[in-house]
Amino acid sequence: MISNSEMIRIRRQMQRRIQDVVAERRRTRQQDPTPTSPTSPTPSGTDQEVCVADNGPG
């Protein structure tokens, strides 16, 4: 059985990985505009921030 502290550690590690993937995709999206709309400008700085819940200290 996994202890509570181990579960918290695993959850935070997963959240960090998700944030890393989201950030990487955001960077890729900003660098490579979609070919479906080449004439529309891509606004910078309008990405929504992804918030991950923090379930306490640790």
Side-chain angles (χ1 to χ4, degrees), residues 3-15:
S3 68
N4 190 35
S5 61
E6 184 71 8
M7 184 63 79
I8 292 170
R9 187 189 65 77
I10 291 170
R11 184 178 294 126
R12 288 191 176 162
Q13 184 180 30
M14 290 172 60
Q15 289 172 347

Side-chain angles (χ1 to χ4, degrees), residues 1 5 14-15 20-21 23 25-26 30-31 33-35 43-44 47-48 50 52 54 56:
M1 185 167 170
S5 61
M14 290 172 60
Q15 289 172 347
D20 289 347
V21 169
R25 289 182 181 178
R26 182 178 295 142
Q30 288 175 346
Q31 291 173 359
T34 57
S44 61
D47 286 329
Q48 294 179 354
V50 176
V52 179
D54 186 5

Side-chain angles (χ1 to χ4, degrees), residues 32-53:
D32 301 327
T34 57
T36 56
S37 59
T39 56
S40 64
T42 4
S44 61
T46 58
D47 286 329
Q48 294 179 354
E49 182 178 341
V50 176
C51 297
V52 179

